[in-house]
Amino acid sequence: MKKLIVLNHKMNLEYDEVVPYINKLNEVNTSNNIIVCPSNIYLSDFINYSNWGVGAQNISEFSNGNYTGEVSSLQLKSLGVEYSIVGHYERKKYFHETNYSINKKLIECLNSNISPILCFGETGNVEDALDDLEVLLKDIDNIDFIIFAYEPLKVSMQESVSDIEIQIKEIYNYLKDKYNSTPNLIYGGGVSQKDINTLLEINELNGIMIGKISANIDKIEKIIKGIN
């Protein structure tokens, strides 16, 4: 079964590194699906030249208007962007995003036919994650186009895989039962190369999200090739 690999570049890569990165990533031989989320200033290059899906790292909660520095879902869609990360914990930490503003961004994505990659669960407590999802998914009836990225900052692979699997199963079953749909659930939270295949053995997990290291094409090439 194909897995989903989301590459969140964060604020990495300079322009002279972009084309070599794209060329090398295009040459990677994998049966899995890849979504690359570069900085906004490089989105056009990835859309025009990459063989893989392209996502933004953030999106405005507003459709349009006088919001200097913001980028709307309509603008991203007109560029050809198919996905957008929404609710990453770094934006909560540094830009004081709330679950309420993230919910608005989520709705903006869905209204513009952009598949949101919804990050949640940073405390590593399942009850917190489920409480957050209640607010994050307010006024949303269909979750078929949402990619749920469970990113527990306080959960590590030092814990047994069975403990992590229990958390994932709880979240998966909650979403499945509430929305009568099979959730597209991936795992983030500081994934390292040695952890990936172990995590992907969890039946309810459809993929992974890789952070800063994903901007290093040599390292990410090895990681992708090593995924079963």
Side-chain angles (χ1 to χ4, degrees), residues 7-9 12-13 17 21 211-217 220:
L7 307 178
N8 176 15
H9 286 182
N12 294 293
L13 288 185
E17 300 173 289
Y21 182 102
K212 180 180 178 181
I213 195 174
S214 70
N216 185 317
I217 187 58
I220 203 62

Side-chain angles (χ1 to χ4, degrees), residues 136-151:
L136 293 169
L137 298 173
K138 184 177 182 293
D139 298 325
I140 294 173
D141 299 321
N142 188 335
I143 63 168
D144 290 346
F145 300 102
I146 301 174
I147 299 167
F148 292 90
Y150 180 48
E151 290 200 300

Side-chain angles (χ1 to χ4, degrees), residues 43-110:
L43 282 170
S44 290
D45 294 279
F46 277 87
I47 289 166
N48 290 330
Y49 303 112
S50 175
N51 294 337
W52 303 105
V54 179
Q57 294 181 18
N58 185 41
I59 200 166
S60 176
E61 63 185 90
F62 305 105
S63 300
N64 53 61
N66 300 327
Y67 303 103
T68 301
E70 292 288 287
V71 179
S72 75
S73 61
L74 294 173
Q75 290 176 312
L76 291 172
K77 188 64 179 180
S78 70
L79 196 63
V81 171
E82 303 171 89
Y83 307 90
S84 180
I85 297 172
V86 176
H88 196 279
Y89 82 92
E90 289 167 353
R91 293 202 59 83
K92 291 182 181 179
K93 180 178 179 180
Y94 298 115
F95 300 97
H96 310 295
E97 283 191 357
T98 67
N99 286 341
Y100 298 98
S101 63
I102 295 167
N103 169 256
K104 291 180 180 179
K105 293 184 177 190
L106 194 61
I107 292 172
E108 282 295 315
C109 280
L110 295 173

Side-chain angles (χ1 to χ4, degrees), residues 128-183:
D128 290 343
L130 299 184
D131 287 344
D132 286 344
L133 286 171
E134 283 286 335
V135 180
L136 293 169
L137 298 173
K138 184 177 182 293
D139 298 325
I140 294 173
D141 299 321
N142 188 335
I143 63 168
D144 290 346
F145 300 102
I146 301 174
I147 299 167
F148 292 90
Y150 180 48
E151 290 200 300
L153 303 183
K154 296 181 180 179
V155 176
S156 72
M157 293 302 291
Q158 292 176 348
E159 298 184 55
S160 67
V161 175
S162 60
D163 290 338
I164 297 173
E165 185 173 8
I166 288 170
Q167 296 177 356
I168 291 169
K169 283 181 182 292
E170 284 190 49
I171 294 166
Y172 180 93
N173 289 331
Y174 164 84
L175 290 169
K176 184 177 181 180
D177 292 344
K178 182 170 183 178
Y179 293 94
N180 194 28
S181 180
T182 301

